Amino acid sequence: MEIRIENLTKEYGSYTAVNVPALTIASGESFGLVGNNGAGKTTLFRAMLDLIEPNTGAVYIDDKATNKSEVWKAITGSYLDENFLIGHLLPEEYFDFIASLHGMSEADLKAKLEEYENLFNGEIIGGKKLIRDLSKGNQKKVGIAAALLFDPKVLVLDEPFANLDPSTQIRLKDLLKHLKTDRGVTMLISSHDLSHVTDVCERIVLLEKGQVINDIRTSAATLKELEDYFANVSASRSHSE
């Protein structure tokens, strides 16, 4: 499903958090968003998902404006942070709740959770911990799996690799590549981990102060290009101080 951003701005007082005049993510594209803290990545995702109201502009998923329609929600899975979860539930109870929202049968839910046994690594299903008592990494596993339960055509993940151990990061990368290659999911992923995002995403957009400053088709040179950019930014800031 194509995603289109038009004249999108979000301001907080005199501060402009996001200013994206035009940006299109093609159907089936794996799209990475990178930038330092405060670049506007999460704000952009929240505006896309109609979690905050932009000052101007709109985001369209499958030609439906996300702030004027609910249709896109049936095809869009997302996980930005633990606020998406219901902390007082067990993971199984939360999955049951998500499945009920999408009309999934008990058999379909069971089959889908079995697909994520490798990602769960025996740490999610069958335990006695409430979601709020899980580690940050295991909460993230719950959130990502919940976002994927109903086979969305669009997937939005904010910092999906953070707080995950190295083995789980590799499992997640393999899963995301499978979703892209075998299911044609349109993926939007923000990450501070440049190596992971360049490995998973075929296109990388660099955001700074809410604005797109580079739009790169991923190649063997992309990781070095991004590392050099952020090294220069760091050096410039150190020099100015």
Side-chain angles (χ1 to χ4, degrees), residues 20-233:
V20 179
L23 185 66
T24 299
I25 297 100
S27 180
E29 189 170 51
S30 52
F31 173 93
L33 191 62
V34 300
N36 283 316
N37 290 336
K41 303 186 299 298
T42 300
T43 302
L44 177 57
F45 278 178
R46 289 190 176 279
M48 292 177 65
L49 296 170
D50 195 33
L51 297 174
I52 58 174
E53 183 179 358
N55 291 83
T56 65
V59 178
Y60 299 85
I61 297 179
D62 194 26
D63 283 328
K64 308 295 190 301
T66 59
N67 62 345
K68 295 181 179 179
S69 167
E70 299 275 316
V71 176
W72 60 275
K73 293 183 179 180
I75 60 169
T76 303
S78 60
Y79 182 71
L80 303 190
D81 56 41
E82 59 271 18
N83 290 318
F84 275 46
L85 305 173
I86 303 175
H88 64 269
L89 298 181
L90 294 169
E92 292 92 331
E93 293 173 328
Y94 182 62
F95 293 139
D96 285 342
F97 170 69
I98 297 297
S100 70
L101 294 179
H102 294 274
M104 295 177 64
S105 69
E106 186 176 336
D108 287 343
L109 174 59
K110 183 176 183 294
K112 185 57 63 175
L113 291 177
E114 287 174 354
E115 288 187 25
Y116 303 126
E117 284 183 351
N118 190 41
L119 178 68
F120 291 158
N121 196 32
E123 298 174 317
I124 304 299
I125 301 297
K128 296 182 179 180
K129 285 187 176 181
L130 302 176
I131 291 174
R132 66 188 177 205
D133 297 325
L134 296 174
S135 68
K136 291 291 187 183
N138 282 338
Q139 287 181 354
K140 183 153 290 182
K141 292 178 189 179
V142 171
I144 292 173
L148 293 171
L149 276 186
F150 55 98
D151 289 329
K153 298 182 183 300
V154 175
L155 178 65
V156 182
L157 299 176
D158 192 13
E159 295 292 345
F161 302 104
N163 302 121
L164 297 180
D165 60 68
S167 294
T168 303
Q169 290 178 0
I170 292 170
R171 295 188 192 104
L172 178 57
K173 282 201 296 183
D174 289 343
L175 173 60
L176 294 174
K177 289 176 181 179
H178 164 72
L179 292 171
K180 155 66 181 172
T181 303
D182 298 342
R183 298 188 182 178
V185 175
T186 305
M187 296 191 301
L188 291 81
I189 298 170
S190 79
S191 181
H192 285 135
D193 194 310
L194 300 178
S195 63
H196 287 335
V197 77
T198 53
D199 191 20
V200 169
C201 298
E202 62 192 303
R203 178 186 174 195
I204 307 289
V205 159
L206 178 57
L207 207 63
E208 184 175 291
K209 296 180 180 178
Q211 300 186 57
V212 174
I213 62 169
N214 207 346
D215 191 337
I216 308 166
R217 303 304 300 185
T218 308
S219 69
T222 302
L223 178 59
K224 180 66 164 56
E225 183 179 348
L226 291 172
E227 288 177 338
D228 288 346
Y229 170 81
F230 287 109
N232 289 334
V233 169

